[in-house]
Amino acid sequence: MITNFFVLSPRGDTVIAKSYRSKSGVGAHERSHTEAFFRKVKFWDGVAPGTPGMDTTLGLGSGGNKLSADSLSGGSGEGSEAKDSKKFGDAPPVFVMPDGYSYMHVKRNGLIFGCATEKNISPVVVIELLSKIAKVFKDYCGTLSEESIRKNFILLYELLDELLDYGYPQVTQTENLKAFVYNEPIVVSAVADTGKMINPKTASASAVHKPVISSVNADGKKTSLAANQKNEIFVDILERLSVLFSSNGYVLNSTIDGCIQMKSYLAGNPQLRLALNEDLIVGKNSGSTSYSSGVTVDDINFNDCVNLSEWDHGRTLSFYPPDGEFIVLSYRMTGEFKTPFRIFPSIEEVEPNKLEIAVHIRAEIPDNHFGANVSIEVPLPHSTTTATCNVVSTPGATGVNAEYVSQDKKLVWTLKKFPGCTEQTMRAKITLSGPCTSQIRREIGPINMSYEIPMYNVSSLQVRYLRIAENMPGYTPYRWVRYVTQSNSYVCRL
Amino acid sequence: MSYPPNNMPVPGGPSGMPVPGGPGGMPPPPGGAPGGVPGQPGRDDAYFTESRKGEVNELRQLLRTFGTERDKQKKRDIMKKVIAYMTLGIDVSRLFTEMMLAIETRDLVIKKMVYLFLCNYADTHPDLAQMCTNTLVKDCGNEDPMVRGLALRSLCSLRLPQMIEYTSEPLRRSLQDGHAYVRKTGVMGILKMYHLNKEEFDKAAFNDILYEMLRDPDPSVVTNCIFVLNEIQAEVGGMALNRAVMLHLLNRIHEFSEFGILAVLDLIPRYIPANDEEGFQIMNLLDPVLKTANAGAVVATIRAFLSIATAIGKRPGDDRDADSPSVDDLSKQVVERIKAPLVTLIASGSSELSYVLLKYADQLIDLCPGIFDDEYRQFYVKYSDPTHIKHSKIRILAKLANPNTAPDIVAELGELVTDADETLGRIAVRSMTNIALNDSGGEGAVESISRRLVDMLDLQGISHVTSEAATALAALVRRNESIKPVISAPLPRALKYINEPAGKASIIFLLGECGADITEAPYALEKVIDSYDNIADASVKTALLAATVNLFFTRPPEVQHMLGRLLKKATEDMSSQDLHDRALFYYRLLRSSPDLTVAKSIISKSMAVTASQFAEEDDSELRAALMDEFNTLCTVYRCKPENFIDEENIVPFVKLPTEHPLAAAAPVVDQGVNTITDQMNGAALTDGYATAAAPQPAPSAEVDLLGFGFDDPAPAPAPPATNSLQSLSLKSNLSLSGEDYQSKWGSIPDSEAVVISGLPMASAPPSTDVVEGALSAFSVFTMASGELPTEFKFFLYAQEEESFGGCYFLIQAVALKQPSSLNLTIKPVGGDPNKQKEKVDQLVELIKSALGLC
């Protein structure tokens, strides 16, 4: 199926490489191919070589484009402009290289997990496989970083040996792999987990960065899993919001992509029962005309391990949690919900070449909650020469800062903490190099806001309970349940 | 994510760390910086230190102490160092002999490392590798299944053709191993052997064993068998497949692992269900897969569903009853069913997965337009999406436009036009144009899109958008003359600031088309003509020529002079053959025609487009080919496999079983997938090696009662040529499609059928195969068969030799189990009507003798 597998560092060094089949004597650690691949990913030029008529960026070869061919022929891709590497954006995860192989890759924590194939196989399966390998590596190393991979390379080769044989997936479940693995992971201290806010009242962030098997720490001391293992389980109800506002604050599009994610360190791996809101309705058109107060999700999917026999009545799931991190279920909601923040922008033309922009944001979450790591970006026209901004903050907001980043031509306004039920305002004075036409005004925006709200969820999907299925006296697991709402794409048009 | 560089072990970079972990008493490694703590495991950064000439020798020294070293951890550290060097690309093959000495160990960690080393250098040191084969072969018989498996995998991975004689024996033994891990490794080993030496492989006749192993109790073994068979038989489309195998695998599908299930699901598109009922049963069986988050399984299920829909749906011209759904209806239902799960996966998966799945969604939208329309908001771009995802989404958005959704979609696209990403802006313009070109936006949409495009012409700061908008308008005008008044006003001013050749050519073309309504059109063109020498691009010149000639017919007095100048320049211009020839053609045409209307009728007519679709846009053939290859790289690249894959790696798409069994309208025999597969034990896997592979469960007593040896249906009793059957000679190689069967069966009214009931049988046949085999020896073939709790049913057919009249016989046979008796319903089709009765009688005799009922 796949011809080789490799892990590249953010700078393109091969960290792990294994070749399963080789044509014309390409050895397992042949670098030239991965190097060419890395250059292609780094400087994507929009054209997948080796495939006649295949321009993946503009899709000229594709039948989907209804413009007649001759009227388009000169429209794009002309060499003079293609020099700018940024023009074509990011490299897609699947493309053909001149060596005739299709390369596929996923990026995790800056590392590239990639492989090549010469066959016409399902790209979804390969992407899933690569993600799975990354997950297994993370489960066994505790964290996923270049350092942890380099330190554990013997363990990872051992895992890889069982994960894939001759390019075909074999044992891919973290817990099933345990039987085959004899090396011990070496724990590296977790790098600051980007973007995840941890409420200090709950477990420490590093608690979830433990490998699934007993390990030796950096001092060479062996940490026995049984002795050091707290009987605990981490449950995250994570919701990512995609909201699009019009300039007058009207919601044009809104979606919640949610999931319940778990990481179990429970001894003996008991069966668990997870109950959600009883009034949860699945499917937009499933007869929920009687505007019930219940939570309605458009669609929901479950991990393979989940037993759904009690789902239809009682909304209860039972499962034996697999080792390592896993997603119990994912759901998608498009119904109306209360947006946690509302954005009210205004633009005023004070002089022909001077603008005043005011962005007013209201937090509509209860006052015992707050938005964390809030960042608001306002792109400005290319002709902007200077901009100054000031913020009007209410008490409670901390870490407030607003500035004009001239190289990106945008205003960046950040707040460490944005308390619920408050309003924050930023005003900016902008000077343009020329008079402001309506076309230049179109270059302003859209405003993008990113944030996360700990211990809050928008959908009101709740975990009713999480129990050990059998009654085991004296078995007292620690349950860490966490709700997090994050912005995925929180955009306001101007 | 970044790390401080001093912590970063850079391969081949300067050494910041000493080499730790040497056994006690070893001198510190040369060049080591201070601070090393000997014997401390865990500081593994230092495995990746700079390679020096002496270091390999250093390692050799270490390895020599290996035998006397007692500390397991220290032994491991030595090995790790060797492997670390190896993975860095440093040649440590000189240590081969020393490493091989370490292979005799009980420590699996060390053993694994030695195997890794061995596999890596066997290519370059075949002689040395051969020396350690004995150890490997010995390990293949180790008491620990882990060791057996490991040794076998390494043995097969050595890639040494001369080793095949050593490998085939352990391989064969492994297939019977008591431990699934060894069996599964052995199955993969067969594939490695196949690629190493195909002749030896054929001699070893592993194929039959593999087919037999499809029934292995361990699903991981079965999975590997499918993988291997598919690859070995790639030339004929993959593993041979029949109903029994397919249903057997389907019934076990819940046992398979997340990737194993894919092996089974990928077989389904190649399988033609025996009848409608079975098709629906398979779909019901697989439906729960759509609820899982296993994206690979979900898309494989989608493909399986679509394939079943194609197999069991009614085609045009099919004479099935009107209620049965058509292929299109079924496909629509399938797409409707998978819409929500697919969209959820796109939204919840990683960006890489989303990108690929968007391509899948794109293709499904092409297959069944309209169904995804109501989910159009899910395809709005997100701020954080990578560019390739944004681009895919914008292209899809255009396909989701209908009169209800178009206003929102067009507005959304309008916002994206000015995006900082230039390509994105271009695609947004094109998507918007496509909505107008397809006229999918309902009433007024074309005009409102034209207005938006006209507005874009004035986005002076964003040159690529103005150019795209001009190109789009040019395409639109060719389809819709009515938008001319909307677009004409800004054209002359747009001409001044559009610089991109495509856009400029389009604007010039539009000026020619709309010239009648624009007062200053000739003067705008004149400026371009005057600067003719500064135009670099031939397409602009050609457009200029065409537009000027066009305008000349509407406003001759104003244009005549500039046309003359242009023709002179263009005929003298040698940079483009096409341009030069055109100019010459126009010039001669105009000069030679005394009356302008003649020239006008020749030139001007060609500008208008009346066809609803351009020929080059008709990609229905490509789309059909892509649907055959759905869920492969073709879906992502949007081109056929031969365009990007070596010929040797192309796997043809072959549907099986090749004889299409009974189709829908005939009575359905099955009780359900489960009961059918109970017969799996008795069913043959595939015709050729069938009986050898499948143990015959039929008790021999019953076989005898039926009168002949069932174990080998091929050398059947000699066709009875001596008795009364003389006049009935049946064709021995006949095949009939399910549809033909039905139409023939339907063509004879039931009243004309010959019904013979209650033929006594000594005992019920043990399985359908027994009867089928017996009859086929007499040239009576089976279309379909099935087992019900109380009876067997067969749909049989036969044809007389053409020279005897070519009469078809269609037979429905029911064998009751208790009491055992046989009922026949025979319909003769064609042939001499006077002789039919006689022939039917002969056929009954023949069947009776075949089944031993005489």
Side-chain angles (χ1 to χ4, degrees):
Chain A
M1 193 166 108
I2 61 171
T3 309
N4 62 9
F5 169 80
F6 51 84
V7 180
L8 303 183
S9 77
R11 289 172 327 219
D13 301 323
T14 309
V15 192
I16 299 265
K18 201 161 162 88
S19 145
Y20 294 99
R21 294 142 188 247
S22 59
K23 229 172 21 182
S24 65
V26 179
H29 305 293
E30 186 63 54
R31 290 287 149 71
S32 57
H33 287 245
T34 51
E35 271 167 17
F37 161 80
F38 184 76
R39 272 198 302 278
K40 193 82 188 167
V41 170
K42 201 88 183 165
F43 309 105
W44 179 246
D45 53 11
V47 183
T51 318
M54 209 173 71
D55 179 343
T56 52
T57 304
L58 282 167
L60 291 178
S62 85
N65 206 311
K66 286 286 178 189
L67 291 177
S68 66
D70 59 327
S71 67
L72 266 181
S73 54
S76 61
E78 54 276 356
S80 58
E81 283 178 71
K83 295 280 183 279
D84 178 7
S85 67
K86 273 284 125 203
K87 180 186 166 188
F88 290 99
D90 313 317
V94 184
F95 55 84
V96 184
M97 287 285 288
D99 57 10
Y101 291 88
S102 286
Y103 281 74
M104 290 172 244
H105 72 277
V106 302
K107 282 187 183 163
R108 295 287 179 271
N109 289 5
L111 298 162
I112 295 176
F113 289 74
C115 70
T117 180
E118 50 181 350
K119 301 228 181 314
N120 191 21
I121 53 178
S122 163
V124 173
V125 175
V126 179
I127 297 282
E128 288 273 88
L129 180 63
L130 293 172
S131 314
K132 191 79 192 186
I133 294 174
K135 176 199 177 289
V136 168
F137 280 14
K138 185 181 178 210
D139 286 343
Y140 277 86
C141 296
T143 51
L144 202 56
S145 65
E146 186 178 352
E147 190 192 5
S148 69
I149 287 189
R150 281 195 192 278
K151 283 201 167 163
N152 287 296
F153 75 100
I154 290 279
L155 168 70
L156 298 183
Y157 274 113
E158 193 180 7
L159 281 169
L160 215 46
D161 250 1
E162 304 299 337
L163 277 162
L164 291 164
D165 192 5
Y166 212 46
Y168 285 106
Q170 300 290 311
V171 183
T172 50
Q173 297 286 9
T174 302
E175 62 271 20
N176 297 347
L177 280 163
K178 275 184 186 169
F180 304 107
V181 170
Y182 292 83
N183 277 293
E184 288 151 348
I186 296 148
V187 179
V188 299
S189 56
V191 282
D193 198 358
T194 46
K196 286 243 167 102
M197 261 291 293
I198 306 295
N199 189 324
K201 277 184 295 190
T202 60
S204 82
S206 63
V208 288
H209 296 300
K210 284 184 296 199
V212 291
I213 52 175
S214 64
S215 58
V216 284
N217 61 18
D219 310 325
K221 235 193 265 162
K222 201 161 169 179
T223 56
S224 157
L225 199 64
N228 212 7
Q229 184 71 53
K230 267 209 258 170
N231 220 352
E232 55 192 357
I233 182 160
F234 298 86
V235 183
D236 287 349
I237 294 95
L238 189 69
E239 294 193 339
R240 296 181 304 152
L241 306 189
S242 301
V243 181
L244 181 60
F245 295 96
S246 68
S247 54
N248 47 16
Y250 174 72
V251 176
L252 295 172
N253 185 23
S254 57
T255 311
I256 305 175
D257 295 315
C259 68
I260 298 183
Q261 191 174 305
M262 277 193 195
K263 194 158 185 177
S264 162
Y265 294 99
L266 293 179
N269 201 24
Q271 191 183 16
L272 301 179
R273 285 161 57 82
L274 177 78
L276 303 179
N277 315 33
E278 273 172 320
D279 52 3
L280 179 70
I281 298 162
V282 180
K284 256 190 302 194
N285 313 317
S286 59
S288 56
T289 42
S290 60
Y291 217 77
S292 66
S293 59
V295 185
T296 307
V297 298
D298 287 31
D299 188 48
I300 193 160
N301 68 30
F302 304 94
N303 192 294
D304 287 336
C305 70
V306 174
N307 176 352
L308 291 173
S309 55
E310 287 172 81
W311 172 249
D312 287 336
H313 314 281
R315 297 298 184 211
T316 307
L317 309 167
S318 56
F319 51 92
Y320 292 96
D323 277 343
E325 198 170 271
F326 74 105
I327 290 171
V328 184
L329 58 90
S330 306
Y331 55 93
R332 180 166 56 85
M333 276 178 74
T334 51
E336 280 182 19
F337 55 84
K338 198 172 171 194
T339 49
F341 295 98
R342 305 200 63 177
I343 307 172
F344 303 96
S346 67
I347 306 178
E348 220 176 306
E349 220 178 297
V350 246
E351 279 169 54
N353 62 342
K354 282 214 167 93
L355 294 175
E356 261 191 35
I357 296 181
V359 182
H360 186 70
I361 299 179
R362 197 163 70 215
E364 302 203 318
I365 48 178
D367 54 7
N368 55 343
H369 291 280
F370 62 93
N373 298 332
V374 182
S375 157
I376 299 107
E377 291 178 1
V378 187
L380 297 180
H382 291 290
S383 55
T384 307
T385 49
T386 55
T388 53
C389 27
N390 64 70
V391 284
V392 187
S393 297
T394 55
T398 57
V400 186
N401 183 36
E403 59 180 350
Y404 168 64
V405 184
S406 60
Q407 73 195 58
D408 298 335
K409 302 273 182 206
K410 65 184 176 190
L411 299 168
V412 179
W413 174 24
T414 52
L415 301 96
K416 276 252 153 39
K417 193 171 173 184
F418 193 139
C421 290
T422 61
E423 291 181 357
Q424 315 288 335
T425 309
M426 180 206 42
R427 287 179 213 286
K429 289 192 170 74
I430 294 143
T431 314
L432 304 172
S433 57
C436 180
T437 63
S438 67
Q439 308 307 337
I440 287 176
R441 272 187 73 148
R442 287 191 65 174
E443 292 182 41
I444 308 174
I447 300 174
N448 176 56
M449 181 171 179
S450 68
Y451 58 84
E452 56 185 42
I453 311 170
M455 298 319 287
Y456 178 78
N457 78 332
V458 179
S459 70
S460 51
L461 182 105
Q462 304 282 337
V463 172
R464 221 160 9 109
Y465 62 79
L466 173 69
R467 285 188 196 142
I468 314 277
E470 300 110 277
N471 189 19
M472 286 199 255
Y475 194 92
T476 47
Y478 295 87
R479 281 164 291 195
W480 305 103
V481 180
R482 186 163 78 150
Y483 289 87
V484 181
T485 296
Q486 277 182 335
S487 60
N488 184 11
S489 171
Y490 210 78
V491 173
C492 178
R493 293 268 158 74
L494 277 170
Chain B
M1 205 167 288
S2 65
Y3 307 96
N6 54 342
N7 285 352
M8 186 77 87
V10 183
S15 160
M17 294 285 242
V19 182
M26 280 303 298
V37 186
Q40 176 185 317
R43 305 289 293 270
D44 293 49
D45 315 50
Y47 292 128
F48 295 93
T49 45
E50 191 190 350
S51 140
R52 289 188 195 79
K53 188 83 183 158
E55 300 243 330
V56 178
N57 286 331
E58 202 70 38
L59 274 175
R60 189 195 300 256
Q61 286 303 320
L62 278 175
L63 278 169
R64 294 219 166 118
T65 66
F66 193 85
T68 53
E69 178 60 60
R70 295 257 166 247
D71 186 342
K72 191 170 83 176
Q73 196 57 46
K74 284 182 184 163
K75 280 184 159 189
R76 288 184 180 182
D77 284 342
I78 299 173
M79 279 294 157
K80 274 194 186 182
K81 243 169 101 61
V82 178
I83 301 297
Y85 275 34
M86 185 183 91
T87 56
L88 284 178
I90 300 162
D91 186 9
V92 283
S93 58
R94 277 184 291 155
L95 305 174
F96 209 96
T97 334
E98 284 82 5
M99 286 295 280
M100 284 313 109
L101 290 175
I103 206 167
E104 300 275 2
T105 172
R106 298 186 75 81
D107 185 355
L108 269 174
V109 176
I110 294 181
K111 210 168 192 99
K112 283 183 173 188
M113 287 193 265
V114 180
Y115 284 161
L116 187 65
F117 179 90
L118 183 59
C119 294
N120 200 44
Y121 287 115
D123 285 359
T124 44
H125 297 74
D127 304 341
L128 291 168
Q130 208 151 1
M131 286 187 343
C132 57
T133 346
N134 279 337
T135 319
L136 282 174
V137 172
K138 205 177 88 200
D139 278 353
C140 287
N142 194 294
E143 62 202 14
D144 183 354
M146 265 305 285
V147 178
R148 289 203 298 275
L150 280 174
L152 187 69
R153 191 166 57 212
S154 307
L155 191 63
C156 296
S157 307
L158 289 180
R159 297 184 193 159
L160 296 175
Q162 65 267 39
M163 300 262 300
I164 266 203
E165 48 184 309
Y166 299 103
T167 47
S168 63
E169 202 35 53
L171 255 186
R172 203 175 284 280
R173 242 184 302 130
S174 72
L175 299 179
Q176 253 120 55
D177 199 284
H179 204 278
Y181 179 72
V182 185
R183 289 202 301 278
K184 152 188 117 144
T185 312
V187 171
M188 238 356 132
I190 293 179
L191 183 62
K192 294 172 191 166
M193 177 174 167
Y194 169 79
H195 283 293
L196 212 51
N197 189 333
K198 294 199 170 69
E199 284 158 29
E200 282 295 323
F201 174 83
D202 289 341
K203 268 189 231 155
F206 278 124
N207 266 6
D208 295 359
I209 305 176
L210 285 176
Y211 277 106
E212 201 175 335
M213 286 180 78
L214 287 175
R215 290 160 207 239
D216 195 283
D218 191 284
S220 66
V221 179
V222 180
T223 309
N224 277 5
C225 281
I226 300 175
F227 284 147
V228 172
L229 281 169
N230 273 337
E231 193 165 330
I232 290 174
Q233 311 219 312
E235 277 175 27
V236 291
M239 180 180 128
L241 199 59
N242 68 10
R243 184 150 182 252
V245 173
M246 195 68 245
L247 298 183
H248 168 71
L249 293 173
L250 281 172
N251 277 336
R252 293 182 59 186
I253 200 157
H254 300 292
E255 300 168 25
F256 286 87
S257 70
E258 57 183 330
F259 287 97
I261 196 173
L262 299 168
V264 179
L265 289 172
D266 283 340
L267 291 176
I268 300 173
R270 293 178 42 224
Y271 172 70
I272 305 168
N275 51 42
D276 285 11
E277 192 82 356
E278 188 181 296
F280 287 119
Q281 277 164 357
I282 296 176
M283 292 214 240
N284 284 335
L285 182 75
L286 298 183
D287 195 68
V289 177
L290 294 176
K291 281 189 193 151
T292 66
N294 184 346
V298 171
V299 291
T301 307
I302 294 174
R303 186 175 180 198
F305 277 19
L306 289 171
S307 140
I308 293 173
T310 320
I312 66 178
K314 198 176 68 169
R315 284 180 197 77
D318 204 334
D319 62 343
R320 287 199 239 160
D321 60 71
D323 294 342
S324 59
S326 71
V327 173
D328 284 351
D329 291 345
L330 276 178
S331 303
K332 275 200 188 114
Q333 284 173 23
V334 168
V335 176
E336 185 76 54
R337 170 68 189 92
I338 56 91
K339 178 173 69 173
L342 187 64
V343 173
T344 306
L345 283 175
I346 291 174
S348 62
S350 61
S351 77
E352 293 89 2
L353 189 63
S354 300
Y355 170 76
V356 177
L357 289 175
L358 279 169
K359 298 278 180 187
Y360 281 54
D362 196 355
Q363 198 176 335
L364 291 172
I365 290 166
D366 283 348
L367 181 75
C368 295
I371 291 187
F372 278 80
D373 285 6
D374 55 347
E375 294 282 5
Y376 68 97
R377 285 206 168 93
Q378 295 297 312
F379 295 91
Y380 277 18
V381 299
K382 291 180 181 164
Y383 192 80
S384 50
D385 283 337
T387 51
H388 48 266
I389 289 190
K390 286 184 179 165
H391 298 171
S392 297
K393 282 184 171 173
I394 298 171
R395 283 202 199 96
I396 290 175
L397 271 177
K399 299 183 184 182
L400 301 179
N402 64 26
N404 295 324
T405 61
D408 280 359
I409 292 177
V410 172
E412 176 67 18
L413 292 173
E415 295 285 348
L416 297 170
V417 163
T418 49
D419 194 279
D421 175 2
E422 187 185 317
T423 314
L424 188 139
R426 284 183 194 273
I427 299 173
V429 177
R430 286 180 199 195
S431 285
M432 202 187 274
T433 317
N434 281 339
I435 296 175
L437 287 176
N438 294 336
D439 205 8
S440 52
E443 210 171 315
V446 174
E447 200 190 316
S448 88
I449 290 171
S450 311
R451 282 188 200 283
R452 278 179 184 274
L453 290 170
V454 170
D455 283 347
M456 285 178 216
L457 285 180
D458 287 331
L459 287 175
Q460 292 182 41
I462 319 171
S463 66
H464 64 273
V465 174
T466 52
S467 168
E468 278 297 327
T471 313
L473 284 171
L476 262 182
V477 162
R478 293 176 73 193
R479 285 274 172 79
N480 278 292
E481 297 271 323
S482 62
I483 61 163
K484 275 187 185 174
V486 181
I487 63 168
S488 48
L491 292 177
R493 92 173 158 263
L495 183 62
K496 284 179 206 144
Y497 47 72
I498 290 185
N499 292 320
E500 249 177 53
K504 201 162 192 94
S506 301
I507 284 289
I508 292 170
F509 164 80
L510 286 172
L511 278 171
E513 282 291 297
C514 312
D517 310 329
I518 309 170
T519 336
E520 66 266 47
Y523 312 103
L525 285 182
E526 189 167 22
K527 278 196 188 120
V528 185
I529 292 169
D530 288 342
S531 62
Y532 181 90
D533 297 326
N534 299 331
I535 305 173
D537 196 280
S539 67
V540 179
K541 290 179 185 170
T542 315
L544 181 63
L545 183 64
T548 315
V549 173
N550 201 9
L551 201 58
F552 171 67
F553 292 120
T554 39
R555 301 161 77 168
E558 291 158 286
V559 180
Q560 190 171 8
H561 282 288
M562 59 179 91
L563 179 62
R565 267 181 289 152
L566 178 62
L567 283 174
K568 181 170 188 305
K569 286 205 160 145
T571 46
E572 285 164 3
D573 186 347
M574 293 301 163
S575 65
S576 162
Q577 187 72 48
D578 179 37
L579 174 74
H580 172 81
D581 288 357
R582 266 194 219 208
L584 217 54
F585 167 71
Y586 288 145
Y587 173 67
R588 289 179 182 151
L589 187 69
L590 290 170
R591 199 182 55 178
S592 61
S593 54
D595 183 3
L596 268 186
T597 52
V598 180
K600 187 179 180 181
S601 70
I602 294 171
I603 298 171
S604 280
K605 269 234 172 90
S606 59
M607 297 291 185
V609 170
T610 47
S612 64
Q613 200 183 28
F614 295 110
E616 67 265 20
E617 288 169 8
D618 183 18
D619 56 353
S620 52
E621 198 184 324
L622 175 70
R623 283 187 195 175
L626 288 179
M627 274 326 291
D628 271 349
E629 299 283 346
F630 187 71
N631 189 17
T632 63
L633 290 169
C634 294
T635 312
V636 174
Y637 299 153
R638 249 196 124 89
C639 61
K640 295 184 193 172
E642 51 266 37
N643 293 347
F644 61 94
I645 283 198
D646 288 348
E647 204 177 329
E648 56 185 292
N649 288 318
I650 291 178
V651 179
F653 183 64
V654 182
K655 283 215 170 205
L656 291 169
T658 40
E659 274 181 41
H660 193 306
L662 193 64
V668 169
V669 195
D670 305 79
Q671 282 292 293
V673 173
N674 286 313
T675 38
I676 294 167
T677 43
D678 289 341
Q679 305 169 43
M680 168 69 185
N681 289 330
L685 283 170
T686 50
D687 296 332
Y689 36 79
T691 30
Q696 235 350 308
S700 55
E702 286 184 71
V703 174
D704 284 341
L705 282 172
L706 278 163
F708 59 87
F710 289 110
D711 284 325
D712 190 2
T722 48
N723 54 19
S724 60
L725 300 171
Q726 241 165 351
S727 61
L728 188 70
S729 11
L730 297 176
K731 272 172 120 174
S732 57
N733 54 342
L734 174 66
S735 74
L736 200 62
S737 74
E739 284 157 37
D740 283 350
Y741 190 96
Q742 266 180 57
S743 64
K744 286 200 165 61
W745 183 268
S747 69
I748 306 287
D750 284 353
S751 56
E752 280 181 44
V754 182
V755 180
I756 296 159
S757 55
L759 289 172
M761 292 205 303
S763 84
S767 76
T768 54
D769 288 47
V770 172
V771 175
E772 287 173 36
L775 288 171
S776 68
F778 285 81
S779 301
V780 177
F781 301 96
T782 309
M783 177 60 65
S785 63
E787 184 175 2
L788 296 169
T790 59
E791 62 190 52
F792 290 95
K793 263 196 172 185
F794 301 91
F795 294 90
L796 310 165
Y797 61 97
Q799 193 193 2
E800 214 182 0
E801 289 282 9
E802 246 89 13
S803 52
F804 292 92
C807 173
Y808 274 100
F809 298 96
L810 306 182
I811 308 141
Q812 186 185 346
V814 179
L816 293 174
K817 287 178 178 169
Q818 278 307 326
S820 310
S821 67
L822 183 68
N823 296 335
L824 296 172
T825 309
I826 303 175
K827 288 188 179 181
V829 183
D832 186 348
N834 301 325
K835 289 188 186 164
Q836 271 183 358
K837 175 79 182 84
E838 183 192 335
K839 283 179 179 165
V840 167
D841 288 343
Q842 287 164 352
L843 182 72
V844 172
E845 285 309 307
L846 184 142
I847 293 173
K848 278 162 79 177
S849 74
L851 297 177
L853 303 178
C854 295

